[in-house]
Amino acid sequence: MKTVYEKSPGLTDVPMHYCPGCTHGIIHKLVAESLAELGVLGRTVAVAPVGCAVFAYDYFNCDAQEAAHGRAPAVATGIKRVHPDNIVFTYQGDGDLASIGMAEIVHAAMRGENITVVFVNNAIYGMTGGQMAPTTLVGQPTTTSPLGRNRLGQGAPLRICEMLATIDATAYIARVSVHSIPRLNVAKRAIKKAFQLQVENKGFSLVEVLSTCPTNWGLSPVDSLRWVEQNMIPAYPLGVYKDIEGGT
Amino acid sequence: MARKLMKGNEAIAAAAINAGCRHFFGYPITPQNEIPEYMSRELPKVGGVYLQAESEVAAINMVYGAAGAGARVLTSSSSPGISLMQEGISYIAGAELPCVLVNIMRAGPGLGGVQPAQADYFQATRGGGHGDYHVVVLAPANLQEAADLTQLAFDLADKYRNPVMVLADGMIGQLMEPVELSPYHPAAGLPPKDWATTGTAQSGGRRRIINSLYLYPDQLEQHIRAIFAKYAEIERTEVRYELHQCDDAEVVIVAYGTTSRIARSAIEKCRRLGLRVGLLRPITLYPFPFAAFPPVIERAKMFLVVEMSMGQMLDDVKIAVAGRKPISFYGRTGGIVPTPEEVVKQVQALLGGPGA
């Protein structure tokens, strides 16, 4: 029998806890495949966040450390500085990275820390039940912005890639989406490239992945994918914001 | 190495490197800046890493990552900075990682002042952050002891997989004394760090996870009970203290760190006046030397606790003495260091006048 598809060796056999239609599972797969294809799984250390992906340490088939909320880039820094030959990555949501962990992500980027950050942006706090995030769209209702996020007083989406791309020491900053197969393929190439640059000691790399939250958005999985395309991408344009190798 | 005149902060830093510490993460704050400055100068010479973090919050989480990766790692700060680190210290204790923390205490609360104080005793000995845990706390009274205890701290941290704090104050950090760093040998029988995240290629494929999350209460209770079994062993075997002229003492002063030095000078003056005064000096603040008290309680008429705070160790002395003898307290705070004369006056008042 010919094998046409198999689970990546970068993932464990632990059943994932993610909600139906959530794209965390797809993003985990892309990360796992990238690490396996680069042949670095055995020297990789993952840093899990606080948020929906808190159990990421159960799913990636490598060593892992679970960080406090927002502190994953600092924890990753500690690991990388002890064993520079390890491939170290953080997997963080938008509350973790763009709110409570803003100082840690900006300064890891500023130092050109040779780590890879997978930043999953679904415009809401998922695990705690759908509260407003710094990435929530203007007008988007959440449990703590029930009338929709108000630009005056609650602000407008924080665009992490655009911000970090202004920092000199970053190597690679890209925003991708997984709402369609073509986009998923682009996302895979970006994630793999980010890890490749770390392998080559090129410095800080971050891939922001636009993701869904059907449960807290109150949409079906299919409608959620459509919502990413129609509402999130206009607020968060896809593309490569920084590439020290000059590619786009 | 020959005896060398050193500043307290430098003695601590030099001792850490001598004990094999090769990673330091920290953030500047007075009065401990000589520690990061020394580390930034000396660690690269021995192949180590000094990293100035963006905050104490980041620094302690870098310590978490480095400790989880198997390094002997140090951070240092002073009171407000240590407050900022408490979240991370709780995670480190919860994940059972070894690391050494140095708190060169200054006066609080709030921004407080930069002069010496001992007002972080509660924070240090009661856990400091959220949840059920302890940090082992070592309190040096002179610079040789500061160096020796710093080295011991790394061994204790590795032995018990728990954070160990060297708790000193701005006086110890800033004064100069001769220090001798002997060739260091790690304590015998330290467990291998086979739990460290170095990649599964190093472990025959076994995944190593550093974590403090246990969503099922029965599992978390079991985890905490296992940690407290370590604390029970620490309380049995790691208690350190010094008794000075307690054999015939009517008044026993209880003091640690800087105030124990002042008490020692006061005792000399008292003895010249014919007043029988002794000193019980806790060296480990957690575990507190409760076991040192019973024989002293038998002989002493009373206790005098002296602290640079409004009375924090006082609570532990009350527990230790358990109402069997009277306890008085003398504290200066806000950055004021009491003089030996002030302490002598307290003793005279307790015993009823000079030469009583």
Side-chain angles (χ1 to χ4, degrees), chain B residues 108-163:
Chain B
L111 201 47
V114 298
Q115 300 301 321
Q118 295 180 315
D120 300 350
Y121 182 93
F122 284 150
Q123 187 194 54
T125 59
R126 266 57 180 169
H130 61 283
D132 271 327
Y133 75 95
H134 279 290
V135 169
V136 176
V137 184
L138 310 175
N142 61 61
L143 300 203
Q144 184 61 53
E145 193 174 53
D148 295 344
L149 290 181
T150 298
Q151 298 185 164
L152 174 69
F154 282 98
D155 285 353
L156 293 178
D158 282 351
K159 183 174 176 187
Y160 296 104
R161 287 184 60 180
N162 200 73

Side-chain angles (χ1 to χ4, degrees), chain A residues 189-209:
Chain A
R189 284 198 293 277
I191 290 169
K192 191 169 172 182
K193 171 155 185 167
F195 280 113
Q196 177 65 38
L197 289 170
Q198 184 183 163
V199 171
E200 294 167 6
N201 295 313
K202 295 282 171 60
F204 182 89
S205 55
L206 177 144
V207 178
E208 174 176 345
V209 187

Side-chain angles (χ1 to χ4, degrees), chain A residues 12 14 41-45 50 54-69 71 73-79 81-83 86 100 103-105 107-108 111 113, chain B residues 23 25 49-55 57-59 61-71 87 91 97 196-203 205-213 215:
Chain A
T12 63
V14 177
L41 259 182
R43 59 182 173 113
T44 295
V45 182
V50 169
V54 67
F55 295 123
Y57 55 79
D58 275 341
Y59 305 144
F60 290 116
N61 192 14
C62 59
D63 281 356
Q65 295 195 21
E66 163 56 36
H69 199 24
R71 318 297 173 219
V75 172
T77 297
I79 299 167
R81 295 299 182 111
V82 173
H83 297 298
N86 280 147
I100 196 168
E104 284 75 15
I105 192 64
H107 283 267
R111 290 189 302 270
E113 209 62 56
Chain B
H23 293 83
F25 304 91
V49 173
Y50 164 85
L51 196 158
Q52 184 164 315
E54 59 269 31
S55 67
V57 174
N61 284 282
M62 291 171 185
V63 168
Y64 176 104
E87 177 201 39
Y91 276 69
L97 296 175
T197 58
T198 57
T200 53
Q202 310 267 326
S203 64
R206 187 174 60 89
R207 294 168 62 239
R208 276 83 53 95
I209 311 293
I210 303 296
N211 183 27
S212 63
L213 176 66
L215 280 186

Side-chain angles (χ1 to χ4, degrees), chain B residues 260-280:
Chain B
S260 73
R261 299 167 67 106
I262 295 157
R264 210 178 283 266
S265 302
I267 289 165
E268 243 177 72
K269 291 176 192 293
C270 286
R271 291 268 165 184
R272 281 202 293 271
L273 294 170
L275 303 173
R276 287 183 289 151
V277 186
L279 171 69
L280 193 164

Side-chain angles (χ1 to χ4, degrees), chain B residues 170-194:
Chain B
M171 180 75 92
I172 302 283
Q174 295 296 323
L175 64 81
M176 293 186 82
E177 279 178 353
V179 177
E180 182 172 359
L181 291 179
S182 315
Y184 165 81
H185 304 288
L190 291 181
K193 295 186 176 182
D194 53 4

